[in-house]
């Protein structure tokens, strides 16, 4: 039987920015509950909920101080239970964000661990002596600087691959692993639909050998996790794996290996950064390379023994139409094109809140407007190194994580209908033109394109199981492919650019399934308009 998550469409909610119910400017669980009917109308099957656990908020909830408590800013555990229940009534599952590579430095384990070297929790984390009075080695944090933080009390360094307030857990300690599995089972018993696993490729780390991702114990740990937690349940598990190749992705998701359902892979995320440099060192997107990578993951991953995730945006990744498309003149058709391209591919699609109405990046003019710790650290570090301030702000406006985190735009009312108070992060100034209310009132809006794409996946097995076949005789910046299942054949065509492009197909089509312009009745020697995309059934 086909697992439910192969036919599903997942919707990611960033709770802090989705819907505030009490006027404190911060989204919360009761607010999400009030919007479940909207999500049911869209047609999604599950909500991936970014962390709502108790947290000091250094990294917006990805620094957890108590895995079995809800942060008061989001509500209570009763609210969480109610969300699970109310979502279930609408046939929507809740996917919890699982952050187990690291904790907050305010987690009870770390508070104890740093007291002295003999503490029973000491080995829950990774500690090393100084080397020649300095850090043990050159491992770097993803949030700038060394991955080692000196602790004056015990005169040792602890490892943190992210902020210094996010100490890495020691997965080689079997007690730590068992505690994590107990916590996971606590949530499974509550009736959740699965886990999204934050930076899961790091748990097999070997810091003494400078190994971060894909350590030798990574897959044995995941197999143990599967066996002790979700392995006997019909749950979705998706791992965040920035360094996965198709072969590595198969290792994670081959059912015979008893690990995960699928992974998020990010190979296309480096296409607008200079080779060998960081994400902040920008270069123009090469759409031909983007096409190649999309096709690579459709053709090199063995879908008989593995599975793929499909996404453009998430809480860490800016709005795709601003980044790789045109969020001004062609915002609507561009957003529809990106949706059509992705949702007709092989794999499980993920929608980030606001993507379905075409929300855009939200530029800043001053670093004081920025909340994201990664962006702030980069700015200060590079400013000290002599970089130009305007160039740094430009990089933040293109790639900064705040772009995805601005409040959901529900209406043209004050603060876009997100809150009656002062929003924790600025609302994008274009909310009066781009909002849910406007989209729902317009039958030709981006929202209804997403709704249609979800319906197509739910009701057509060809979208789930059909073979992918690239049409190679096209302009390099046109992505055209067939999905084929038995005697069924669908054609998907997309112009990835803002220029008119020629396209030629000698086959006749029966009907148009979804489009963002009126599709010509004959596909021979046509001119595709900027960002034009369509899906048709072939006779």
């Amino acid at each position: 039987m086909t697992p439910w998550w192969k036919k599903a469409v997942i919707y990611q909610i960033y709770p802090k920015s989705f819907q505030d119910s009490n006027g404190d400017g911060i989204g919360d669980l009761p607010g999400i509950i009030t919007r479940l009917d909207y999500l049911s109308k869209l047609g999604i099957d599950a909500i991936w909920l970014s962390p709502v656990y108790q947290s000091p908020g250094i990294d917006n909830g990805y620094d957890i101080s108590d895995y079995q408590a809800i942060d008061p800013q989001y509500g209570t555990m009763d609210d969480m239970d109610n969300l699970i229940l109310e979502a279930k009534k609408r046939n929507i599952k809740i996917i919890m964000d699982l952050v187990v590579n690291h904790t907050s430095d305010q987690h009870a384990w770390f508070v104890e661990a740093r007291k002295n070297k003999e503490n029973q929790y000491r080995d829950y984390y990774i500690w090393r002596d100084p080397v020649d009075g300095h850090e043990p080695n050159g491992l770097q944090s993803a949030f700038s600087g060394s991955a080692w933080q000196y602790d004056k009390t015990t005169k040792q360094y602890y490892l943190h691959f992210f902020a210094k307030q996010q100490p890495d857990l020691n997965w080689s300690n079997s007690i730590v692993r068992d505690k994590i599995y107990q916590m996971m089972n606590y949530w499974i018993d509550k009736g959740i639909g699965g886990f999204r696993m934050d930076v899961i490729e790091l748990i097999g780390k070997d810091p003494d050998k400078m190994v971060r991702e894909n350590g030798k114990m990574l897959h044995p740990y995941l197999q143990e996790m599967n066996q002790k937690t979700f392995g006997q349940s019909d749950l979705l598990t998706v791992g965040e794996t920035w360094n996965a190749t198709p072969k590595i992705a198969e290792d994670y998701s081959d059912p015979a290996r008893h690990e995960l359902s699928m992974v998020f892979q990010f190979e296309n995320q480096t296409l607008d950064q200079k080779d060998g440099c960081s994400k902040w060192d920008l270069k123009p997107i090469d759409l031909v390379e983007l096409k190649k990578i999309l096709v690579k993951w459709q053709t090199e991953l063995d879908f008989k023994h593995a599975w793929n995730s499909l996404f453009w945006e998430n809480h860490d990744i800016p709005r795709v139409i601003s980044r790789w498309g045109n969020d001004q003149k062609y915002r609507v058709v561009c957003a529809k094109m990106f949706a059509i391209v992705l949702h007709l591919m092989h794999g499980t699609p993920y929608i980030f809140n606001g993507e379905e109405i075409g929300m855009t990046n939200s530029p800043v003019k001053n670093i004081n407007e920025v909340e994201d710790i990664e962006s702030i650290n980069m700015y200060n570090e590079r400013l000290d190194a002599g970089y130009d301030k305007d160039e740094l702000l430009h990089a933040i406006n293109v790639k900064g994580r705040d772009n995805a985190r601005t409040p959901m735009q529900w209406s043209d009312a004050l603060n876009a209908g997100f809150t009656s108070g002062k929003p924790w992060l600025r609302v994008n100034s274009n909310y009066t033109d781009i909002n849910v209310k406007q989209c729902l009132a317009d039958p030709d809006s981006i929202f209804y394109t997403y709704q249609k794409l979800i319906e197509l996946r739910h009701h057509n097995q060809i979208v789930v199981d059909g073979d992918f076949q690239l049409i190679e005789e096209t302009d390099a910046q046109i992505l055209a492919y067939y999905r084929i299942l038995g005697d069924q054949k669908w054609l998907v065509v997309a112009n990835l650019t803002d220029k008119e492009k020629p396209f030629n197909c000698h086959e006749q089509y029966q009907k148009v399934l979804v489009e963002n312009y009126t599709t010509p009745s004959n596909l021979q020697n046509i001119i595709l308009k900027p960002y034009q995309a369509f899906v048709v059934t072939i006779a």
Side-chain angles (χ1 to χ4, degrees):
M1 192 174 80
T2 302
W4 67 268
W5 39 262
K6 287 190 175 183
K7 296 188 74 167
V9 177
I10 319 299
Y11 186 92
Q12 183 190 0
I13 287 179
Y14 196 67
K16 200 170 184 178
S17 297
F18 195 63
Q19 179 66 69
D20 174 24
S21 70
N22 60 6
D24 66 357
I26 295 172
D28 48 43
L29 296 174
I32 295 172
I33 292 170
T34 68
R35 297 298 186 178
L36 288 175
D37 286 342
Y38 164 76
L39 296 178
S40 181
K41 182 179 179 67
L42 181 60
I44 57 108
D45 302 275
I47 293 168
W48 155 22
L49 191 65
S50 284
V52 291
Y53 314 99
Q54 188 169 298
S55 168
I58 295 297
D59 189 23
N60 273 345
Y62 285 87
D63 50 319
I64 297 169
S65 56
D66 189 339
Y67 290 94
Q68 291 176 212
I70 299 299
D71 195 287
Q73 69 181 343
Y74 296 127
T76 66
M77 189 60 77
D78 285 344
D79 292 327
M80 186 69 230
D81 292 337
N82 194 28
L83 173 61
I84 295 170
L85 178 64
E86 289 298 323
K88 185 178 181 180
K89 290 178 182 177
R90 296 162 175 83
N91 297 312
I92 296 173
K93 301 176 188 291
I94 301 296
I95 311 299
M96 296 297 286
D97 213 322
L98 187 73
V99 188
V100 291
N101 173 70
H102 49 267
T103 70
S104 164
D105 63 353
Q106 295 184 34
H107 192 289
W109 296 345
F110 192 74
V111 171
E112 287 294 318
R114 72 191 316 175
K115 286 182 177 178
N116 57 68
K117 295 179 183 178
E118 290 72 41
N119 192 282
Q120 64 174 318
Y121 293 97
R122 185 72 172 182
D123 195 43
Y124 279 38
Y125 297 87
I126 297 170
W127 302 86
R128 296 292 183 269
D129 290 324
V131 174
D132 298 326
H134 298 286
E135 293 84 356
N137 58 36
L139 282 172
Q140 294 291 295
S141 163
F143 290 171
S144 301
S146 172
W148 297 100
Q149 179 66 27
Y150 187 65
D151 179 66
K152 293 180 180 178
T153 303
T154 57
K155 297 181 171 56
Q156 283 189 315
Y157 286 88
Y158 65 84
L159 183 71
H160 63 94
F161 278 146
F162 296 91
K164 65 182 181 180
Q165 298 92 342
Q166 294 170 285
D168 275 47
L169 285 165
N170 178 16
W171 269 75
S172 66
N173 184 337
S174 62
I175 299 174
V176 170
R177 300 200 304 276
D178 284 341
K179 295 278 190 184
I180 289 169
Y181 304 152
Q182 290 170 25
M183 175 270 293
M184 293 173 66
N185 286 325
Y186 167 85
W187 285 104
I188 291 171
D189 290 344
K190 280 186 173 289
I192 64 167
F195 296 102
R196 177 267 182 184
M197 300 183 178
D198 186 64
V199 295
I200 200 67
E201 64 187 348
L202 301 179
I203 64 171
K205 67 181 80 69
D206 188 343
D208 297 323
K209 294 181 179 178
M210 302 285 286
V211 174
R212 295 169 58 97
E213 304 87 2
N214 302 313
K216 68 177 183 179
M217 291 304 297
L218 170 62
H219 294 286
Y221 290 156
L222 289 175
Q223 288 161 8
E224 180 185 70
M225 178 191 289
N226 179 300
Q227 189 265 323
K228 293 193 174 184
T229 62
F230 53 78
Q232 305 308 310
S233 305
D234 186 22
L235 300 183
L236 178 154
T237 52
V238 53
E240 181 188 26
T241 58
W242 281 79
N243 292 273
T245 62
K247 178 62 181 73
I248 292 173
E250 287 180 22
D251 288 343
Y252 282 108
S253 62
D254 184 345
R257 290 174 56 86
H258 301 288
E259 295 187 26
L260 307 179
S261 309
M262 68 190 86
V263 295
F264 291 125
Q265 43 76 23
F266 298 85
E267 188 172 355
N268 59 21
Q269 290 302 312
T270 62
L271 290 177
D272 53 4
Q273 72 189 49
K274 294 177 181 176
D275 294 344
C277 298
S278 85
K279 69 182 253 185
W280 305 107
D281 300 300
L282 307 178
K283 71 175 183 181
I285 179 69
D286 184 335
L287 294 172
V288 176
E289 286 301 310
L290 176 61
K291 172 181 169 180
K292 284 181 181 177
I293 290 175
L294 292 173
V295 171
K296 171 183 176 179
W297 280 88
Q298 291 293 297
T299 56
E300 293 188 18
L301 192 70
D302 183 354
F303 282 91
K304 291 182 176 64
H305 302 285
W307 199 247
N308 193 22
S309 64
L310 305 167
F311 68 98
W312 290 119
E313 305 172 1
N314 67 28
H315 63 289
D316 286 331
I317 298 174
R319 301 296 183 177
V320 68
I321 56 175
S322 299
R323 186 179 177 194
W324 293 339
N326 183 315
D327 63 6
Q328 300 296 317
K329 182 177 180 181
Y330 296 113
R331 183 184 68 86
V332 173
V333 292
C334 175
K336 291 179 180 179
M337 181 277 291
F338 279 117
I340 290 168
V341 162
L342 202 75
H343 282 248
L344 269 297
M345 285 186 171
H346 216 159
T348 297
Y350 291 73
I351 302 168
F352 182 64
N353 58 219
E355 180 183 337
E356 77 280 11
I357 62 168
M359 282 179 60
T360 67
N361 280 2
S362 182
V364 299
K365 296 179 180 178
N366 191 292
I367 192 62
N368 294 333
E369 300 175 63
V370 177
E371 288 283 341
D372 172 37
I373 186 173
E374 181 189 32
S375 298
I376 293 169
N377 285 355
M378 178 281 295
Y379 179 88
N380 290 329
E381 185 179 77
R382 291 196 168 193
L383 201 63
D384 289 343
Y387 282 70
D388 179 73
K389 181 182 76 170
D390 292 337
E391 287 185 10
L392 297 177
L393 287 173
H394 173 67
I396 289 171
N397 285 335
V398 174
K399 300 285 279 287
R401 299 190 300 178
D402 281 350
N403 284 304
R405 300 175 179 183
T406 56
M408 183 72 176
Q409 294 164 211
W410 294 104
S411 70
D412 58 3
L414 179 68
N415 297 324
F418 163 69
T419 181
S420 60
K422 181 182 179 183
W424 76 276
L425 182 65
R426 70 195 176 282
V427 175
N428 194 318
S429 61
N430 61 20
Y431 75 90
T432 54
D433 298 314
I434 302 172
N435 57 68
V436 169
K437 183 180 178 182
Q438 180 273 329
C439 276
L440 293 179
D442 177 6
D444 195 37
S445 72
I446 300 164
F447 175 92
Y448 290 111
T449 294
Y450 273 87
Q451 185 188 64
K452 179 64 175 177
L453 291 167
I454 294 170
E455 288 176 357
L456 288 175
R457 176 169 295 271
H458 285 166
H459 297 115
N460 296 276
Q461 200 64 27
I462 189 172
V463 184
V464 180
D465 290 329
D467 291 334
F468 175 97
Q469 181 180 319
L470 179 70
I471 298 176
E472 305 206 26
E473 299 78 24
T474 65
D475 183 285
Q477 293 178 319
I478 290 174
L479 177 54
Y481 59 89
Y482 293 113
R483 297 298 306 278
I484 303 170
L485 184 66
D487 58 1
Q488 284 186 288
K489 189 175 187 180
W490 290 10
L491 170 65
V492 183
V493 178
N495 178 2
L496 301 176
T497 78
D498 61 359
K499 306 289 192 299
E500 291 187 341
K501 294 282 184 178
F503 177 74
N504 183 39
C505 177
H506 292 287
E507 294 190 278
Q508 298 296 313
Y509 72 82
Q510 291 176 315
K511 66 176 179 177
V512 177
L513 298 173
V514 62
E515 62 189 357
N516 63 353
Y517 293 89
T518 300
T519 305
S521 58
N522 187 313
L523 301 182
Q524 292 186 28
N525 299 313
I526 63 172
I527 300 298
L528 296 175
K529 296 180 174 65
Y531 299 113
Q532 184 166 4
F534 56 82
V535 184
V536 296
T537 61
I538 297 298

